[in-house]
Every structure is written in C-alpha cells, then in structure tokens.
Amino acid sequence: MSRQTSRLDAKKVNSELLTLTYGALVSQMLKEIDSSEDVNKQLERIGYNMGVRLVEDFLARTTSGRCLEMRETADKIQQAFRLYLNMQPTVTSWSSSGDEFSLVWDQCPLSEWVEMPSNGLKYCAIIPGAIRGALQMVQLDVQCWFVQPPLLWVCRARTNLLHNAPIMRALRALNAVSNDIDLFNCSLNEFALAAYCKISYSGTY
Amino acid sequence: MVIYGVYIVSKSGGLIFNYDHNIPRVEAEKTFGFPLDIKLQYENKKVVVVFGQRDGINVGHVLLSVNGSTVSGRTTEDGRDVFNIIEAKENYPLSLKFGRARATTNEKIVLASMFYPLFALASQLSPVPKCSGIESLTADTFKLSCFQTLTGVKFIIVTDPNMQGSEVVLRRIYELYSDYALKNPFYSLEMPIRCELFDTSLHTLLEIVEKSGTANL
C-alpha cells in the first residue's frame, strides 16, 4: 500500500468491504464462542496483533518521529484513524496529569449498518487492541478501553451560549444521574433523590 | 551506486534478513613451482595467505582449490591434507586457486549480533544525551548505512563509499518490509524473513537504484 503513496495516490478500497468482512468475522466468532465477554477478549487480541504490525506501516508512511508527550501521541492516533478508517475522532476529557484522554467518535466505518445485540458485545473492541499493540511497539505502555457511551447524547455545542442552555444542562444532569441509577427502571422517588444528590453536591449543573 | 548487501536486524538483535547483492568475485588461479613462495596458514577452518602478496593473490585470500579439486577446511576433495601436498616436491608444478572468503550465514549472524552492541555503545558514548547510535560507518572500501526505526528494527545497507542518498534507499526498504513482510499473515514477528514477494520487490528496488540512482525514488 505505502509503496504507491509517493507515486500514485494511496490504494483506496470501499469501506463497505471492510465493514462486511469485519461483520462476518464478528458474527462467526459469536457463533463459535458462547460468551460475548470472551468474544470481546478475542477481538481485543486480534486488534493487538494487528496493531503490532500496523504501526510499522504507519511509521513508514508518515515518517513521524518519536512522541515525547501524550498530546503528541493523541495527535498521531487521530492521524492514524484518518489514514486507516477515514474518520476523525475528537480528543477530549484530558486528565489533569495529562496522561489520560478520551477519543470520541459517533460513527465508525466498522459498525456502519450494525444493529448492536444487547449481550454486552463490544463490537469495535478491535480498535482499543490495535491502539495498545501499536503503542507498545514504540515503547508506550497504555491501557485502552470503551467507556460507557452517554445515555442521552449531548451534541457538541457550537457556542458557549448553547452549551449553557437549560436543555443542555438538563441533559448533562440526566446523564450524570444515570451513572448512579437506572433511569428507566426506578420509582419517581428514587430518581428525585439521586437527582437531588447530584445537583446539590457536585455543583456544576 | 553499488550496493553490496542488505541486512535487517530485529529488535532483539538477531539477523532476520540478509541479501548479498553485488559482491565482486575475486579469484586468481596460478601455477607454482617448488618451493612455494607464498606463506599459508590454517586459521578459522580455512587455509589463508598470510605473507607473499603477488599477481592478484592478496594477503587474507583463501585457498579455494588445488589442481582443480575444491578445498574444504584443510583437505581436498579426495581427502588429502593440503599442507602435505604443498610440502612434497613431487607434486609440483601445482595449480592453486585463491580468492576472497565469502561470509557464511553463520558468520553473518555473528557479525549482525556484534553490530548491535556497537550501536548501543555509540549512543552511550555520545557527549550529547539522546543520541541515535551509528547511522553511517565509512571505511576505504565500503560505507555502511544504518537506519533504526522507532520500533527498534535496524535496516543496514553496505554500499560503495561514495554512495549518495542511502537514507532514501533505507526508507524504501522499510516501506517494503512493512508492506510485504508484516502484512504477510504467515510471517511471525522477529523470525527470519522468508517472503518471496519481499525478495522480488527488494531486487527491483536495488536494480532501480543501481541503474538510475536515488533521485526518483
């Protein structure tokens, strides 16, 4: 692939081919392995093995140097997503020590047209595995996992004005409350109590 | 633009690929009368010229054959000791063929694992911290260029001393490695590379470099 980059444009394939092949792999694994927890593990392992090899391709193509800082690494990971999956996740939620961040994407080519089964399967578990494997080869030991997606999606505000609008604040509060209790299976009293605790003690809503 | 050989050393220091591209064959055959005016010695399982350089037979050359029969170790094909043949007057005139010894695979593996600590030593000895290690090593008859990737694989080419642009060639070999070796599902990491596609595309690359230089890589 990389050989053509300097002369012709990079060899492009339709993303549907990848989506379908990956879907076939996952569904076959679900058939052969009983527990979806084990499928997640296997997918992570496949991703790891891919990342270990893929990192060489990335380095050979982009001629990027060694990262000396986590933000630089995040940048490179973003670049790799653009290169290999043609999507750009946003980097958010930096920890104050600067050694932890989240990658947020809303639609991944791997999971296009997929109706997720509700058995705890992490469909794209191959991606964290690939990131872990690739970074391990450049002497960075990282942990990579899916955090629960927010229950009610707060769209990214364009202006700070909208960001502080009452509806946004309400959605954020609901998301926060849903971490403590199951929103759809609780009595009104329980909800009121949980919401009250959140709003009065965290003070950000 | 002569490239003598390509070597790839894995992260752990083992030779995973070697290829002799264009090593000139140096051989000289000559008929000698008694007594032999060349001093021979048996060392490293070879019969080596130690003194008496003449007619294209240089010090360091190895005895390849006696009267047309190949020498292996210190015996000829029919099992006679080379030194017994040379010392007996009745065997003369004697036709001896000398040539440069070619490194065997085992010797190359030893040399590759010797380069590994040298590389590390160079980066330790550096007066400036965070040094990269040996990138090029020049002698009067060859230049060795080394490129270490971020993942620790070393690509080494041995070329003519006035070769230009060996970094570009090394980068291209890296691309070939990441394409044809690593994307081959039957290749396991850190193991010797035996991928035919990699071999053929490497040959093509080296031929392009020899014909038209590194300008249009």
PDB file of all heavy atoms in Angstrom, chain A residues 1-3 6 52-53 55-57 59-60 63-66 137-139, chain B residues 11 150-151 153 171-172 174-179 182-184 187-189:
ATOM      1  N   MET A   1       0.818  -1.190   0.000  1.00  0.00           N
ATOM      2  CA  MET A   1       0.000   0.000   0.000  1.00  0.00           C
ATOM      3  C   MET A   1       0.861   1.253   0.000  1.00  0.00           C
ATOM      4  O   MET A   1       0.690   2.140  -0.811  1.00  0.00           O
ATOM      5  CB  MET A   1      -0.886   0.011   1.233  1.00  0.00           C
ATOM      6  CG  MET A   1      -2.295  -0.382   0.898  1.00  0.00           C
ATOM      7  SD  MET A   1      -3.076  -1.201   2.253  1.00  0.00           S
ATOM      8  CE  MET A   1      -3.673   0.174   3.175  1.00  0.00           C
ATOM      9  N   SER A   2       1.819   1.288   0.930  1.00  0.00           N
ATOM     10  CA  SER A   2       2.555   2.527   1.088  1.00  0.00           C
ATOM     11  C   SER A   2       3.423   2.801  -0.130  1.00  0.00           C
ATOM     12  O   SER A   2       3.770   3.927  -0.383  1.00  0.00           O
ATOM     13  CB  SER A   2       3.423   2.457   2.316  1.00  0.00           C
ATOM     14  OG  SER A   2       4.363   1.427   2.155  1.00  0.00           O
ATOM     15  N   ARG A   3       3.757   1.749  -0.863  1.00  0.00           N
ATOM     16  CA  ARG A   3       4.644   1.917  -1.989  1.00  0.00           C
ATOM     17  C   ARG A   3       4.076   2.871  -3.022  1.00  0.00           C
ATOM     18  O   ARG A   3       4.797   3.611  -3.662  1.00  0.00           O
ATOM     19  CB  ARG A   3       4.894   0.561  -2.627  1.00  0.00           C
ATOM     20  CG  ARG A   3       6.292   0.461  -3.146  1.00  0.00           C
ATOM     21  CD  ARG A   3       6.582  -0.893  -3.652  1.00  0.00           C
ATOM     22  NE  ARG A   3       7.342  -0.784  -4.876  1.00  0.00           N
ATOM     23  CZ  ARG A   3       8.516  -0.204  -4.976  1.00  0.00           C
ATOM     24  NH1 ARG A   3       9.059   0.322  -3.915  1.00  0.00           N
ATOM     25  NH2 ARG A   3       9.146  -0.141  -6.123  1.00  0.00           N
ATOM     26  N   SER A   6       3.854   7.546  -2.808  1.00  0.00           N
ATOM     27  CA  SER A   6       4.663   8.644  -3.310  1.00  0.00           C
ATOM     28  C   SER A   6       4.471   8.844  -4.809  1.00  0.00           C
ATOM     29  O   SER A   6       4.693   9.921  -5.307  1.00  0.00           O
ATOM     30  CB  SER A   6       6.126   8.388  -2.976  1.00  0.00           C
ATOM     31  OG  SER A   6       6.491   7.122  -3.435  1.00  0.00           O
ATOM     32  N   VAL A  52       0.438  -4.308  16.310  1.00  0.00           N
ATOM     33  CA  VAL A  52       1.877  -4.567  16.370  1.00  0.00           C
ATOM     34  C   VAL A  52       2.500  -4.499  14.981  1.00  0.00           C
ATOM     35  O   VAL A  52       3.617  -4.022  14.805  1.00  0.00           O
ATOM     36  CB  VAL A  52       2.091  -5.956  17.014  1.00  0.00           C
ATOM     37  CG1 VAL A  52       3.456  -6.480  16.717  1.00  0.00           C
ATOM     38  CG2 VAL A  52       1.864  -5.878  18.502  1.00  0.00           C
ATOM     39  N   ARG A  53       1.764  -4.927  13.974  1.00  0.00           N
ATOM     40  CA  ARG A  53       2.293  -4.894  12.609  1.00  0.00           C
ATOM     41  C   ARG A  53       1.966  -3.576  11.909  1.00  0.00           C
ATOM     42  O   ARG A  53       2.762  -3.067  11.121  1.00  0.00           O
ATOM     43  CB  ARG A  53       1.690  -6.046  11.803  1.00  0.00           C
ATOM     44  CG  ARG A  53       2.269  -7.380  12.194  1.00  0.00           C
ATOM     45  CD  ARG A  53       1.369  -8.508  11.784  1.00  0.00           C
ATOM     46  NE  ARG A  53       1.927  -9.784  12.193  1.00  0.00           N
ATOM     47  CZ  ARG A  53       2.400 -10.669  11.336  1.00  0.00           C
ATOM     48  NH1 ARG A  53       2.390 -10.427  10.055  1.00  0.00           N
ATOM     49  NH2 ARG A  53       2.887 -11.802  11.768  1.00  0.00           N
ATOM     50  N   VAL A  55       1.745  -0.628  13.028  1.00  0.00           N
ATOM     51  CA  VAL A  55       2.496   0.554  13.427  1.00  0.00           C
ATOM     52  C   VAL A  55       3.680   0.792  12.490  1.00  0.00           C
ATOM     53  O   VAL A  55       4.020   1.935  12.176  1.00  0.00           O
ATOM     54  CB  VAL A  55       2.945   0.439  14.894  1.00  0.00           C
ATOM     55  CG1 VAL A  55       3.931  -0.668  15.090  1.00  0.00           C
ATOM     56  CG2 VAL A  55       3.546   1.735  15.369  1.00  0.00           C
ATOM     57  N   GLU A  56       4.265  -0.299  11.981  1.00  0.00           N
ATOM     58  CA  GLU A  56       5.392  -0.138  11.061  1.00  0.00           C
ATOM     59  C   GLU A  56       4.925   0.544   9.780  1.00  0.00           C
ATOM     60  O   GLU A  56       5.611   1.402   9.241  1.00  0.00           O
ATOM     61  CB  GLU A  56       5.998  -1.493  10.707  1.00  0.00           C
ATOM     62  CG  GLU A  56       6.418  -2.324  11.887  1.00  0.00           C
ATOM     63  CD  GLU A  56       7.812  -1.987  12.370  1.00  0.00           C
ATOM     64  OE1 GLU A  56       8.393  -1.024  11.871  1.00  0.00           O
ATOM     65  OE2 GLU A  56       8.296  -2.704  13.265  1.00  0.00           O
ATOM     66  N   ASP A  57       3.759   0.140   9.307  1.00  0.00           N
ATOM     67  CA  ASP A  57       3.219   0.742   8.101  1.00  0.00           C
ATOM     68  C   ASP A  57       2.969   2.223   8.330  1.00  0.00           C
ATOM     69  O   ASP A  57       3.295   3.061   7.494  1.00  0.00           O
ATOM     70  CB  ASP A  57       1.928   0.027   7.725  1.00  0.00           C
ATOM     71  CG  ASP A  57       1.364   0.532   6.424  1.00  0.00           C
ATOM     72  OD1 ASP A  57       1.993   0.269   5.390  1.00  0.00           O
ATOM     73  OD2 ASP A  57       0.321   1.209   6.450  1.00  0.00           O
ATOM     74  N   LEU A  59       4.433   4.215  10.491  1.00  0.00           N
ATOM     75  CA  LEU A  59       5.696   4.950  10.608  1.00  0.00           C
ATOM     76  C   LEU A  59       6.372   5.111   9.252  1.00  0.00           C
ATOM     77  O   LEU A  59       6.923   6.157   8.941  1.00  0.00           O
ATOM     78  CB  LEU A  59       6.635   4.232  11.575  1.00  0.00           C
ATOM     79  CG  LEU A  59       6.169   4.217  13.029  1.00  0.00           C
ATOM     80  CD1 LEU A  59       7.108   3.367  13.858  1.00  0.00           C
ATOM     81  CD2 LEU A  59       6.122   5.618  13.578  1.00  0.00           C
ATOM     82  N   ALA A  60       6.304   4.044   8.439  1.00  0.00           N
ATOM     83  CA  ALA A  60       6.956   4.112   7.138  1.00  0.00           C
ATOM     84  C   ALA A  60       6.252   5.109   6.227  1.00  0.00           C
ATOM     85  O   ALA A  60       6.874   5.753   5.403  1.00  0.00           O
ATOM     86  CB  ALA A  60       6.969   2.735   6.488  1.00  0.00           C
ATOM     87  N   THR A  63       6.506   9.000   8.209  1.00  0.00           N
ATOM     88  CA  THR A  63       7.824   9.455   8.652  1.00  0.00           C
ATOM     89  C   THR A  63       7.719  10.349   9.878  1.00  0.00           C
ATOM     90  O   THR A  63       8.304  11.415   9.954  1.00  0.00           O
ATOM     91  CB  THR A  63       8.591  10.227   7.556  1.00  0.00           C
ATOM     92  OG1 THR A  63       7.918  11.464   7.322  1.00  0.00           O
ATOM     93  CG2 THR A  63       8.677   9.439   6.285  1.00  0.00           C
ATOM     94  N   SER A  64       6.935   9.900  10.850  1.00  0.00           N
ATOM     95  CA  SER A  64       6.802  10.714  12.061  1.00  0.00           C
ATOM     96  C   SER A  64       7.846  10.272  13.073  1.00  0.00           C
ATOM     97  O   SER A  64       8.251   9.120  13.107  1.00  0.00           O
ATOM     98  CB  SER A  64       5.401  10.564  12.640  1.00  0.00           C
ATOM     99  OG  SER A  64       5.062   9.214  12.729  1.00  0.00           O
ATOM    100  N   GLY A  65       8.252  11.221  13.876  1.00  0.00           N
ATOM    101  CA  GLY A  65       9.292  10.928  14.854  1.00  0.00           C
ATOM    102  C   GLY A  65       8.711  10.406  16.153  1.00  0.00           C
ATOM    103  O   GLY A  65       7.518  10.112  16.254  1.00  0.00           O
ATOM    104  N   ARG A  66       9.583  10.302  17.133  1.00  0.00           N
ATOM    105  CA  ARG A  66       9.145   9.785  18.424  1.00  0.00           C
ATOM    106  C   ARG A  66       8.309  10.834  19.154  1.00  0.00           C
ATOM    107  O   ARG A  66       8.619  12.024  19.111  1.00  0.00           O
ATOM    108  CB  ARG A  66      10.376   9.425  19.253  1.00  0.00           C
ATOM    109  CG  ARG A  66      10.065   8.839  20.607  1.00  0.00           C
ATOM    110  CD  ARG A  66      11.325   8.368  21.278  1.00  0.00           C
ATOM    111  NE  ARG A  66      11.965   7.282  20.545  1.00  0.00           N
ATOM    112  CZ  ARG A  66      11.506   6.040  20.525  1.00  0.00           C
ATOM    113  NH1 ARG A  66      10.431   5.727  21.206  1.00  0.00           N
ATOM    114  NH2 ARG A  66      12.130   5.118  19.842  1.00  0.00           N
ATOM    115  N   MET A 137       4.703  -1.084  20.600  1.00  0.00           N
ATOM    116  CA  MET A 137       5.885  -1.226  19.757  1.00  0.00           C
ATOM    117  C   MET A 137       6.752   0.022  19.773  1.00  0.00           C
ATOM    118  O   MET A 137       7.908  -0.025  19.397  1.00  0.00           O
ATOM    119  CB  MET A 137       5.482  -1.535  18.314  1.00  0.00           C
ATOM    120  CG  MET A 137       4.896  -2.898  18.129  1.00  0.00           C
ATOM    121  SD  MET A 137       5.995  -4.179  18.659  1.00  0.00           S
ATOM    122  CE  MET A 137       7.030  -4.347  17.214  1.00  0.00           C
ATOM    123  N   VAL A 138       6.188   1.167  20.127  1.00  0.00           N
ATOM    124  CA  VAL A 138       7.013   2.372  20.233  1.00  0.00           C
ATOM    125  C   VAL A 138       7.254   2.707  21.703  1.00  0.00           C
ATOM    126  O   VAL A 138       7.364   3.870  22.082  1.00  0.00           O
ATOM    127  CB  VAL A 138       6.416   3.569  19.474  1.00  0.00           C
ATOM    128  CG1 VAL A 138       6.574   3.376  17.997  1.00  0.00           C
ATOM    129  CG2 VAL A 138       4.971   3.766  19.821  1.00  0.00           C
ATOM    130  N   GLN A 139       7.348   1.676  22.502  1.00  0.00           N
ATOM    131  CA  GLN A 139       7.719   1.792  23.920  1.00  0.00           C
ATOM    132  C   GLN A 139       6.770   2.668  24.730  1.00  0.00           C
ATOM    133  O   GLN A 139       7.179   3.421  25.600  1.00  0.00           O
ATOM    134  CB  GLN A 139       9.151   2.307  24.079  1.00  0.00           C
ATOM    135  CG  GLN A 139      10.218   1.342  23.589  1.00  0.00           C
ATOM    136  CD  GLN A 139      10.562   1.557  22.141  1.00  0.00           C
ATOM    137  OE1 GLN A 139      10.671   2.704  21.703  1.00  0.00           O
ATOM    138  NE2 GLN A 139      10.714   0.490  21.380  1.00  0.00           N
TER     139      GLN A 139
ATOM    140  N   LYS B  11      14.563  -6.323  16.590  1.00  0.00           N
ATOM    141  CA  LYS B  11      14.603  -5.536  17.819  1.00  0.00           C
ATOM    142  C   LYS B  11      15.503  -6.189  18.856  1.00  0.00           C
ATOM    143  O   LYS B  11      16.202  -5.524  19.611  1.00  0.00           O
ATOM    144  CB  LYS B  11      13.170  -5.408  18.341  1.00  0.00           C
ATOM    145  CG  LYS B  11      13.022  -4.487  19.498  1.00  0.00           C
ATOM    146  CD  LYS B  11      11.571  -4.166  19.728  1.00  0.00           C
ATOM    147  CE  LYS B  11      10.809  -5.396  20.199  1.00  0.00           C
ATOM    148  NZ  LYS B  11       9.444  -5.086  20.570  1.00  0.00           N
ATOM    149  N   LEU B 150      11.529   3.487  14.855  1.00  0.00           N
ATOM    150  CA  LEU B 150      11.091   3.773  16.221  1.00  0.00           C
ATOM    151  C   LEU B 150      10.799   2.494  16.980  1.00  0.00           C
ATOM    152  O   LEU B 150      10.842   2.450  18.196  1.00  0.00           O
ATOM    153  CB  LEU B 150       9.829   4.629  16.188  1.00  0.00           C
ATOM    154  CG  LEU B 150      10.017   6.080  15.807  1.00  0.00           C
ATOM    155  CD1 LEU B 150       8.695   6.805  15.887  1.00  0.00           C
ATOM    156  CD2 LEU B 150      11.005   6.733  16.737  1.00  0.00           C
ATOM    157  N   THR B 151      10.476   1.436  16.235  1.00  0.00           N
ATOM    158  CA  THR B 151      10.151   0.186  16.897  1.00  0.00           C
ATOM    159  C   THR B 151      11.393  -0.660  17.138  1.00  0.00           C
ATOM    160  O   THR B 151      11.288  -1.742  17.672  1.00  0.00           O
ATOM    161  CB  THR B 151       9.166  -0.616  16.049  1.00  0.00           C
ATOM    162  OG1 THR B 151       9.713  -0.717  14.741  1.00  0.00           O
ATOM    163  CG2 THR B 151       7.840   0.061  15.970  1.00  0.00           C
ATOM    164  N   VAL B 153      13.729  -1.879  14.892  1.00  0.00           N
ATOM    165  CA  VAL B 153      14.287  -2.710  13.825  1.00  0.00           C
ATOM    166  C   VAL B 153      15.378  -1.907  13.118  1.00  0.00           C
ATOM    167  O   VAL B 153      15.210  -0.717  12.886  1.00  0.00           O
ATOM    168  CB  VAL B 153      13.187  -3.101  12.822  1.00  0.00           C
ATOM    169  CG1 VAL B 153      13.732  -4.067  11.792  1.00  0.00           C
ATOM    170  CG2 VAL B 153      12.022  -3.718  13.539  1.00  0.00           C
ATOM    171  N   ARG B 171      14.779   3.981   3.710  1.00  0.00           N
ATOM    172  CA  ARG B 171      13.362   4.249   3.982  1.00  0.00           C
ATOM    173  C   ARG B 171      12.477   3.398   3.082  1.00  0.00           C
ATOM    174  O   ARG B 171      11.444   2.878   3.498  1.00  0.00           O
ATOM    175  CB  ARG B 171      13.049   5.715   3.759  1.00  0.00           C
ATOM    176  CG  ARG B 171      13.520   6.622   4.844  1.00  0.00           C
ATOM    177  CD  ARG B 171      12.456   7.640   5.152  1.00  0.00           C
ATOM    178  NE  ARG B 171      11.380   7.042   5.893  1.00  0.00           N
ATOM    179  CZ  ARG B 171      11.246   7.163   7.209  1.00  0.00           C
ATOM    180  NH1 ARG B 171      12.101   7.850   7.908  1.00  0.00           N
ATOM    181  NH2 ARG B 171      10.237   6.595   7.832  1.00  0.00           N
ATOM    182  N   ARG B 172      12.904   3.254   1.839  1.00  0.00           N
ATOM    183  CA  ARG B 172      12.096   2.452   0.910  1.00  0.00           C
ATOM    184  C   ARG B 172      12.116   0.982   1.321  1.00  0.00           C
ATOM    185  O   ARG B 172      11.113   0.285   1.201  1.00  0.00           O
ATOM    186  CB  ARG B 172      12.597   2.617  -0.519  1.00  0.00           C
ATOM    187  CG  ARG B 172      12.407   4.007  -1.043  1.00  0.00           C
ATOM    188  CD  ARG B 172      11.771   3.980  -2.400  1.00  0.00           C
ATOM    189  NE  ARG B 172      10.438   3.445  -2.384  1.00  0.00           N
ATOM    190  CZ  ARG B 172       9.354   4.203  -2.419  1.00  0.00           C
ATOM    191  NH1 ARG B 172       9.445   5.491  -2.438  1.00  0.00           N
ATOM    192  NH2 ARG B 172       8.163   3.643  -2.438  1.00  0.00           N
ATOM    193  N   TYR B 174      12.353  -0.020   4.313  1.00  0.00           N
ATOM    194  CA  TYR B 174      11.444  -0.069   5.460  1.00  0.00           C
ATOM    195  C   TYR B 174      10.004  -0.192   4.982  1.00  0.00           C
ATOM    196  O   TYR B 174       9.220  -0.987   5.510  1.00  0.00           O
ATOM    197  CB  TYR B 174      11.636   1.196   6.294  1.00  0.00           C
ATOM    198  CG  TYR B 174      10.801   1.270   7.550  1.00  0.00           C
ATOM    199  CD1 TYR B 174      10.386   0.123   8.210  1.00  0.00           C
ATOM    200  CD2 TYR B 174      10.456   2.499   8.093  1.00  0.00           C
ATOM    201  CE1 TYR B 174       9.638   0.206   9.364  1.00  0.00           C
ATOM    202  CE2 TYR B 174       9.714   2.589   9.248  1.00  0.00           C
ATOM    203  CZ  TYR B 174       9.300   1.447   9.886  1.00  0.00           C
ATOM    204  OH  TYR B 174       8.559   1.526  11.028  1.00  0.00           O
ATOM    205  N   GLU B 175       9.654   0.586   3.955  1.00  0.00           N
ATOM    206  CA  GLU B 175       8.286   0.502   3.430  1.00  0.00           C
ATOM    207  C   GLU B 175       8.008  -0.893   2.885  1.00  0.00           C
ATOM    208  O   GLU B 175       6.937  -1.465   3.135  1.00  0.00           O
ATOM    209  CB  GLU B 175       8.073   1.537   2.330  1.00  0.00           C
ATOM    210  CG  GLU B 175       7.876   2.928   2.886  1.00  0.00           C
ATOM    211  CD  GLU B 175       7.759   3.974   1.792  1.00  0.00           C
ATOM    212  OE1 GLU B 175       7.439   3.613   0.645  1.00  0.00           O
ATOM    213  OE2 GLU B 175       7.992   5.152   2.104  1.00  0.00           O
ATOM    214  N   LEU B 176       8.987  -1.449   2.168  1.00  0.00           N
ATOM    215  CA  LEU B 176       8.798  -2.796   1.626  1.00  0.00           C
ATOM    216  C   LEU B 176       8.607  -3.791   2.749  1.00  0.00           C
ATOM    217  O   LEU B 176       7.755  -4.677   2.690  1.00  0.00           O
ATOM    218  CB  LEU B 176      10.008  -3.212   0.780  1.00  0.00           C
ATOM    219  CG  LEU B 176      10.237  -2.435  -0.500  1.00  0.00           C
ATOM    220  CD1 LEU B 176      11.434  -3.004  -1.221  1.00  0.00           C
ATOM    221  CD2 LEU B 176       9.020  -2.536  -1.381  1.00  0.00           C
ATOM    222  N   TYR B 177       9.402  -3.613   3.817  1.00  0.00           N
ATOM    223  CA  TYR B 177       9.308  -4.514   4.960  1.00  0.00           C
ATOM    224  C   TYR B 177       7.928  -4.424   5.590  1.00  0.00           C
ATOM    225  O   TYR B 177       7.296  -5.439   5.879  1.00  0.00           O
ATOM    226  CB  TYR B 177      10.395  -4.138   5.968  1.00  0.00           C
ATOM    227  CG  TYR B 177      10.265  -4.730   7.339  1.00  0.00           C
ATOM    228  CD1 TYR B 177      10.568  -6.066   7.573  1.00  0.00           C
ATOM    229  CD2 TYR B 177       9.852  -3.948   8.415  1.00  0.00           C
ATOM    230  CE1 TYR B 177      10.457  -6.599   8.836  1.00  0.00           C
ATOM    231  CE2 TYR B 177       9.745  -4.479   9.680  1.00  0.00           C
ATOM    232  CZ  TYR B 177      10.044  -5.803   9.892  1.00  0.00           C
ATOM    233  OH  TYR B 177       9.926  -6.331  11.143  1.00  0.00           O
ATOM    234  N   SER B 178       7.422  -3.185   5.755  1.00  0.00           N
ATOM    235  CA  SER B 178       6.120  -3.064   6.405  1.00  0.00           C
ATOM    236  C   SER B 178       5.004  -3.565   5.500  1.00  0.00           C
ATOM    237  O   SER B 178       3.974  -4.011   5.978  1.00  0.00           O
ATOM    238  CB  SER B 178       5.865  -1.626   6.846  1.00  0.00           C
ATOM    239  OG  SER B 178       5.736  -0.805   5.743  1.00  0.00           O
ATOM    240  N   ASP B 179       5.231  -3.506   4.193  1.00  0.00           N
ATOM    241  CA  ASP B 179       4.187  -3.991   3.291  1.00  0.00           C
ATOM    242  C   ASP B 179       4.236  -5.495   3.113  1.00  0.00           C
ATOM    243  O   ASP B 179       3.261  -6.197   3.360  1.00  0.00           O
ATOM    244  CB  ASP B 179       4.353  -3.343   1.914  1.00  0.00           C
ATOM    245  CG  ASP B 179       3.706  -1.985   1.862  1.00  0.00           C
ATOM    246  OD1 ASP B 179       3.057  -1.629   2.857  1.00  0.00           O
ATOM    247  OD2 ASP B 179       3.850  -1.283   0.857  1.00  0.00           O
ATOM    248  N   LEU B 182       5.356  -7.641   6.946  1.00  0.00           N
ATOM    249  CA  LEU B 182       4.450  -7.573   8.098  1.00  0.00           C
ATOM    250  C   LEU B 182       3.006  -7.824   7.722  1.00  0.00           C
ATOM    251  O   LEU B 182       2.221  -8.284   8.543  1.00  0.00           O
ATOM    252  CB  LEU B 182       4.585  -6.212   8.766  1.00  0.00           C
ATOM    253  CG  LEU B 182       5.915  -6.025   9.456  1.00  0.00           C
ATOM    254  CD1 LEU B 182       5.964  -4.691  10.130  1.00  0.00           C
ATOM    255  CD2 LEU B 182       6.142  -7.107  10.478  1.00  0.00           C
ATOM    256  N   LYS B 183       2.640  -7.515   6.474  1.00  0.00           N
ATOM    257  CA  LYS B 183       1.247  -7.762   6.104  1.00  0.00           C
ATOM    258  C   LYS B 183       1.044  -9.188   5.630  1.00  0.00           C
ATOM    259  O   LYS B 183      -0.062  -9.575   5.262  1.00  0.00           O
ATOM    260  CB  LYS B 183       0.808  -6.766   5.040  1.00  0.00           C
ATOM    261  CG  LYS B 183       0.577  -5.395   5.633  1.00  0.00           C
ATOM    262  CD  LYS B 183       0.217  -4.379   4.600  1.00  0.00           C
ATOM    263  CE  LYS B 183       0.270  -2.996   5.222  1.00  0.00           C
ATOM    264  NZ  LYS B 183       0.229  -1.959   4.195  1.00  0.00           N
ATOM    265  N   ASN B 184       2.124  -9.959   5.616  1.00  0.00           N
ATOM    266  CA  ASN B 184       2.002 -11.363   5.269  1.00  0.00           C
ATOM    267  C   ASN B 184       1.574 -12.130   6.522  1.00  0.00           C
ATOM    268  O   ASN B 184       2.312 -12.176   7.504  1.00  0.00           O
ATOM    269  CB  ASN B 184       3.372 -11.856   4.786  1.00  0.00           C
ATOM    270  CG  ASN B 184       3.359 -13.294   4.409  1.00  0.00           C
ATOM    271  OD1 ASN B 184       2.355 -13.982   4.608  1.00  0.00           O
ATOM    272  ND2 ASN B 184       4.456 -13.766   3.875  1.00  0.00           N
ATOM    273  N   TYR B 187       3.954 -14.635   8.233  1.00  0.00           N
ATOM    274  CA  TYR B 187       5.245 -14.218   8.773  1.00  0.00           C
ATOM    275  C   TYR B 187       5.067 -13.909  10.245  1.00  0.00           C
ATOM    276  O   TYR B 187       4.197 -13.132  10.617  1.00  0.00           O
ATOM    277  CB  TYR B 187       5.747 -12.975   8.027  1.00  0.00           C
ATOM    278  CG  TYR B 187       6.938 -12.348   8.687  1.00  0.00           C
ATOM    279  CD1 TYR B 187       8.161 -13.003   8.674  1.00  0.00           C
ATOM    280  CD2 TYR B 187       6.840 -11.154   9.367  1.00  0.00           C
ATOM    281  CE1 TYR B 187       9.251 -12.458   9.307  1.00  0.00           C
ATOM    282  CE2 TYR B 187       7.921 -10.600  10.002  1.00  0.00           C
ATOM    283  CZ  TYR B 187       9.129 -11.257   9.972  1.00  0.00           C
ATOM    284  OH  TYR B 187      10.211 -10.731  10.614  1.00  0.00           O
ATOM    285  N   SER B 188       5.859 -14.548  11.092  1.00  0.00           N
ATOM    286  CA  SER B 188       5.757 -14.209  12.509  1.00  0.00           C
ATOM    287  C   SER B 188       6.887 -13.262  12.880  1.00  0.00           C
ATOM    288  O   SER B 188       8.018 -13.406  12.403  1.00  0.00           O
ATOM    289  CB  SER B 188       5.781 -15.461  13.378  1.00  0.00           C
ATOM    290  OG  SER B 188       6.729 -16.360  12.896  1.00  0.00           O
ATOM    291  N   LEU B 189       6.567 -12.320  13.727  1.00  0.00           N
ATOM    292  CA  LEU B 189       7.498 -11.250  14.070  1.00  0.00           C
ATOM    293  C   LEU B 189       8.774 -11.815  14.661  1.00  0.00           C
ATOM    294  O   LEU B 189       8.772 -12.851  15.300  1.00  0.00           O
ATOM    295  CB  LEU B 189       6.847 -10.320  15.094  1.00  0.00           C
ATOM    296  CG  LEU B 189       5.695  -9.472  14.589  1.00  0.00           C
ATOM    297  CD1 LEU B 189       5.086  -8.693  15.727  1.00  0.00           C
ATOM    298  CD2 LEU B 189       6.163  -8.540  13.505  1.00  0.00           C
TER     299      LEU B 189
END
